[in-house]
Amino acid sequence: MQRNATTQYPVLLIHGLFGFERIGHFEIFHGIKQALRNAGVRVFVPYLSATHCNEVRGEQLLVQIDRVLAGTGAGKVNLIGHSQGALTARYAAAMAPQVVASVTSVSGPNHGSELADFLRKALRPGSLPEHVASAVVTLFADFLSLLSGHPQLPQHAVASLNALTTEGVATFNAKYPQGLPATWGGEGPEQVNGVHYYSWSGTVQGSLLDEGVNSVDPLHQICRAFSAYFISEAQENDGLVGRYSSHLGKVLRSDYPLDHLDSLNQTAGLVRKGIDPVELYVAHAERLKNAGL
């Protein structure tokens, strides 16, 4: 039966680091945008810098929110941000709460990423490795922007990495605390300045032998390898973001059996059994609709 998740306000899906809307037939939110449209949602994917700080990406997002509002006649938008996209959405909501109905963080590093901390320490400030890594990553981001049709977007690899460390996000949170939990691992206020806040995320669980056919997914193998670099949230992370670090507003669940890229439906729909990442987005759109959003 046809789902009806027609939200009052349009939904913007906001990508994170190295993200884009589409390259050829490949979409970063694989199958998610179409599933939402099939359920009656007006959905857009803004184009943002693949690598940059949260504030620069947030300002880019605010410009495109204005365009969506002008094009649809809507008064507000619902923002669903994956990974760094959650921080981008939070910035936009803090700066312009009058045009944001809700912010939903999907696998967002709302208290920073231990993996980013490890990488930041590995790239010594002012050293040749940092300069080389920055140049390579920026070139890669420029290449992604070119392929996605937006070569004009600025890129800044080191700024994006700094923005994702626990120190960098702590500085960000001091300026934009809306929706944050008062205690570690808790829930934050569900509504601040008229904006509703939600979050969900997953964790890498069990051993690779427990994954069945998902064990041959190279993206899952990468996330599982990265999960070993977490200390405070060891065995409680999705490979890039810790479970409790992801908490924001109303926590829908933070231990889905999903790695960081599964929550974008990247190959998850092909090899993972027992959970459908796309369904999480459609169900959330129904939640937003029922809340009058």
Side-chain angles (χ1 to χ4, degrees), residues 101-103 178-180 187-199 248-252 284 287-288 291 293:
S102 70
V103 169
Q178 293 85 348
L180 290 173
E187 291 189 307
E190 187 172 342
Q191 189 172 351
V192 182
N193 296 332
V195 181
H196 294 252
Y197 288 86
Y198 305 91
S199 62
L248 182 76
K250 174 66 176 178
V251 180
L252 303 174
H284 187 55
R287 183 179 294 111
L288 296 175
L293 305 175

Short mmCIF file of all heavy atoms in Angstrom, two decimals, residues 101-103 178-180 187-199 248-252 284 287-288 291 293:
data_model
loop_
_atom_site.label_atom_id
_atom_site.label_comp_id
_atom_site.label_asym_id
_atom_site.label_seq_id
_atom_site.Cartn_x
_atom_site.Cartn_y
_atom_site.Cartn_z
N ALA A 101 11.86 23.98 10.74
CA ALA A 101 10.86 23.30 11.56
C ALA A 101 11.49 22.23 12.43
O ALA A 101 11.10 22.04 13.58
CB ALA A 101 9.78 22.68 10.67
N SER A 102 12.48 21.52 11.88
CA SER A 102 13.12 20.44 12.63
C SER A 102 14.52 20.18 12.13
O SER A 102 14.84 20.47 10.97
CB SER A 102 12.30 19.14 12.54
OG SER A 102 12.38 18.58 11.23
N VAL A 103 15.34 19.66 13.02
CA VAL A 103 16.68 19.18 12.70
C VAL A 103 16.78 17.74 13.15
O VAL A 103 16.50 17.42 14.31
CB VAL A 103 17.77 20.01 13.41
CG1 VAL A 103 19.13 19.33 13.28
CG2 VAL A 103 17.83 21.42 12.84
N GLN A 178 21.91 24.30 20.92
CA GLN A 178 20.51 23.90 20.81
C GLN A 178 20.37 22.39 20.58
O GLN A 178 20.98 21.83 19.68
CB GLN A 178 19.84 24.66 19.66
CG GLN A 178 19.70 26.15 19.88
CD GLN A 178 20.93 26.95 19.48
OE1 GLN A 178 22.01 26.39 19.24
NE2 GLN A 178 20.80 28.26 19.41
N GLY A 179 19.56 21.75 21.41
CA GLY A 179 19.27 20.33 21.27
C GLY A 179 20.25 19.39 21.94
O GLY A 179 20.02 18.17 21.96
N LEU A 180 21.33 19.92 22.51
CA LEU A 180 22.35 19.05 23.10
C LEU A 180 21.89 18.50 24.45
O LEU A 180 21.26 19.21 25.23
CB LEU A 180 23.65 19.82 23.29
CG LEU A 180 24.42 20.18 22.02
CD1 LEU A 180 25.59 21.09 22.38
CD2 LEU A 180 24.91 18.93 21.29
N GLU A 187 19.43 12.56 26.62
CA GLU A 187 18.69 13.21 25.55
C GLU A 187 18.70 14.71 25.77
O GLU A 187 18.78 15.19 26.91
CB GLU A 187 17.24 12.72 25.50
CG GLU A 187 17.10 11.28 25.06
CD GLU A 187 15.64 10.91 24.83
OE1 GLU A 187 14.83 11.13 25.74
OE2 GLU A 187 15.32 10.41 23.74
N GLY A 188 18.59 15.46 24.68
CA GLY A 188 18.51 16.90 24.76
C GLY A 188 17.06 17.35 24.68
O GLY A 188 16.15 16.54 24.49
N PRO A 189 16.82 18.64 24.83
CA PRO A 189 15.45 19.15 24.68
C PRO A 189 14.94 18.88 23.27
O PRO A 189 15.67 19.05 22.30
CB PRO A 189 15.59 20.64 24.96
CG PRO A 189 17.04 20.94 24.74
CD PRO A 189 17.79 19.71 25.11
N GLU A 190 13.71 18.44 23.18
CA GLU A 190 13.15 18.10 21.87
C GLU A 190 12.79 19.35 21.07
O GLU A 190 12.71 19.28 19.83
CB GLU A 190 11.92 17.21 22.04
CG GLU A 190 11.37 16.67 20.73
CD GLU A 190 10.28 15.63 20.92
OE1 GLU A 190 10.17 15.09 22.03
OE2 GLU A 190 9.55 15.38 19.95
N GLN A 191 12.60 20.47 21.74
CA GLN A 191 12.23 21.69 21.02
C GLN A 191 12.97 22.88 21.63
O GLN A 191 12.96 23.09 22.83
CB GLN A 191 10.72 21.92 21.08
CG GLN A 191 10.23 23.05 20.19
CD GLN A 191 8.71 23.11 20.13
OE1 GLN A 191 8.03 22.21 20.62
NE2 GLN A 191 8.17 24.15 19.53
N VAL A 192 13.63 23.66 20.77
CA VAL A 192 14.34 24.87 21.18
C VAL A 192 14.07 25.95 20.14
O VAL A 192 14.25 25.72 18.94
CB VAL A 192 15.86 24.63 21.29
CG1 VAL A 192 16.56 25.90 21.77
CG2 VAL A 192 16.17 23.47 22.21
N ASN A 193 13.62 27.10 20.60
CA ASN A 193 13.33 28.22 19.70
C ASN A 193 12.39 27.82 18.56
O ASN A 193 12.51 28.29 17.43
CB ASN A 193 14.63 28.79 19.11
CG ASN A 193 15.54 29.39 20.16
OD1 ASN A 193 15.07 29.86 21.20
ND2 ASN A 193 16.83 29.36 19.91
N GLY A 194 11.47 26.91 18.88
CA GLY A 194 10.49 26.49 17.89
C GLY A 194 10.97 25.40 16.95
O GLY A 194 10.21 24.92 16.11
N VAL A 195 12.23 24.98 17.08
CA VAL A 195 12.81 23.94 16.22
C VAL A 195 12.79 22.62 16.98
O VAL A 195 13.23 22.54 18.13
CB VAL A 195 14.25 24.29 15.82
CG1 VAL A 195 14.83 23.20 14.91
CG2 VAL A 195 14.32 25.65 15.14
N HIS A 196 12.28 21.56 16.34
CA HIS A 196 12.26 20.22 16.93
C HIS A 196 13.57 19.51 16.59
O HIS A 196 14.03 19.55 15.44
CB HIS A 196 11.07 19.42 16.39
CG HIS A 196 9.74 19.97 16.81
ND1 HIS A 196 8.93 19.36 17.74
CD2 HIS A 196 9.08 21.09 16.43
CE1 HIS A 196 7.85 20.07 17.91
NE2 HIS A 196 7.90 21.13 17.13
N TYR A 197 14.14 18.81 17.58
CA TYR A 197 15.42 18.12 17.40
C TYR A 197 15.26 16.63 17.63
O TYR A 197 14.66 16.20 18.63
CB TYR A 197 16.47 18.68 18.37
CG TYR A 197 16.94 20.07 18.00
CD1 TYR A 197 16.24 21.20 18.42
CD2 TYR A 197 18.06 20.26 17.20
CE1 TYR A 197 16.65 22.48 18.06
CE2 TYR A 197 18.49 21.52 16.84
CZ TYR A 197 17.78 22.63 17.28
OH TYR A 197 18.19 23.89 16.91
N TYR A 198 15.82 15.83 16.70
CA TYR A 198 15.78 14.37 16.76
C TYR A 198 17.15 13.82 16.37
O TYR A 198 17.95 14.49 15.69
CB TYR A 198 14.75 13.79 15.79
CG TYR A 198 13.34 14.29 15.91
CD1 TYR A 198 12.91 15.40 15.18
CD2 TYR A 198 12.42 13.65 16.73
CE1 TYR A 198 11.60 15.85 15.27
CE2 TYR A 198 11.10 14.09 16.82
CZ TYR A 198 10.70 15.19 16.09
OH TYR A 198 9.40 15.65 16.18
N SER A 199 17.41 12.58 16.75
CA SER A 199 18.63 11.92 16.29
C SER A 199 18.47 10.41 16.28
O SER A 199 17.68 9.86 17.04
CB SER A 199 19.83 12.31 17.18
OG SER A 199 19.65 11.89 18.51
N LEU A 248 21.30 13.84 20.16
CA LEU A 248 20.80 15.21 19.99
C LEU A 248 19.29 15.18 20.12
O LEU A 248 18.63 14.33 19.52
CB LEU A 248 21.19 15.76 18.61
CG LEU A 248 20.76 17.21 18.32
CD1 LEU A 248 21.68 18.19 19.05
CD2 LEU A 248 20.78 17.49 16.82
N GLY A 249 18.75 16.10 20.90
CA GLY A 249 17.30 16.19 21.04
C GLY A 249 16.68 14.87 21.46
O GLY A 249 17.21 14.15 22.31
N LYS A 250 15.56 14.53 20.84
CA LYS A 250 14.89 13.27 21.08
C LYS A 250 15.67 12.15 20.40
O LYS A 250 15.75 12.09 19.17
CB LYS A 250 13.45 13.33 20.53
CG LYS A 250 12.69 12.02 20.59
CD LYS A 250 12.43 11.59 22.02
CE LYS A 250 11.57 10.32 22.05
NZ LYS A 250 11.35 9.86 23.45
N VAL A 251 16.26 11.27 21.19
CA VAL A 251 17.05 10.17 20.64
C VAL A 251 16.11 9.02 20.29
O VAL A 251 15.56 8.35 21.16
CB VAL A 251 18.13 9.70 21.64
CG1 VAL A 251 18.94 8.55 21.03
CG2 VAL A 251 19.04 10.86 22.01
N LEU A 252 15.94 8.80 19.01
CA LEU A 252 15.02 7.74 18.55
C LEU A 252 15.64 6.37 18.81
O LEU A 252 14.96 5.44 19.23
CB LEU A 252 14.71 7.94 17.08
CG LEU A 252 14.10 9.31 16.76
CD1 LEU A 252 13.95 9.49 15.25
CD2 LEU A 252 12.76 9.49 17.45
N HIS A 284 10.52 8.25 9.66
CA HIS A 284 10.75 9.53 10.31
C HIS A 284 9.93 10.64 9.64
O HIS A 284 9.42 11.54 10.34
CB HIS A 284 12.22 9.89 10.31
CG HIS A 284 12.53 11.11 11.12
ND1 HIS A 284 12.19 11.24 12.44
CD2 HIS A 284 13.12 12.30 10.79
CE1 HIS A 284 12.57 12.41 12.90
NE2 HIS A 284 13.12 13.07 11.92
N ARG A 287 6.74 10.48 11.11
CA ARG A 287 6.81 11.07 12.46
C ARG A 287 6.69 12.59 12.38
O ARG A 287 5.98 13.23 13.17
CB ARG A 287 8.12 10.64 13.12
CG ARG A 287 8.29 11.13 14.55
CD ARG A 287 9.60 10.65 15.13
NE ARG A 287 9.64 9.19 15.28
CZ ARG A 287 10.41 8.39 14.55
NH1 ARG A 287 11.20 8.89 13.61
NH2 ARG A 287 10.40 7.08 14.75
N LEU A 288 7.41 13.17 11.45
CA LEU A 288 7.37 14.62 11.25
C LEU A 288 5.96 15.07 10.84
O LEU A 288 5.45 16.09 11.33
CB LEU A 288 8.38 15.06 10.21
CG LEU A 288 9.86 14.84 10.55
CD1 LEU A 288 10.75 15.22 9.37
CD2 LEU A 288 10.27 15.63 11.78
N ALA A 291 3.66 15.11 13.71
CA ALA A 291 3.96 16.22 14.63
C ALA A 291 3.58 17.57 14.03
O ALA A 291 3.82 18.62 14.64
CB ALA A 291 5.45 16.21 14.97
N LEU A 293 4.79 18.78 11.26
CA LEU A 293 5.98 19.39 10.66
C LEU A 293 6.12 19.02 9.18
O LEU A 293 6.99 19.53 8.51
CB LEU A 293 7.24 18.95 11.44
CG LEU A 293 7.21 19.23 12.95
CD1 LEU A 293 8.44 18.65 13.62
CD2 LEU A 293 7.10 20.72 13.23
#
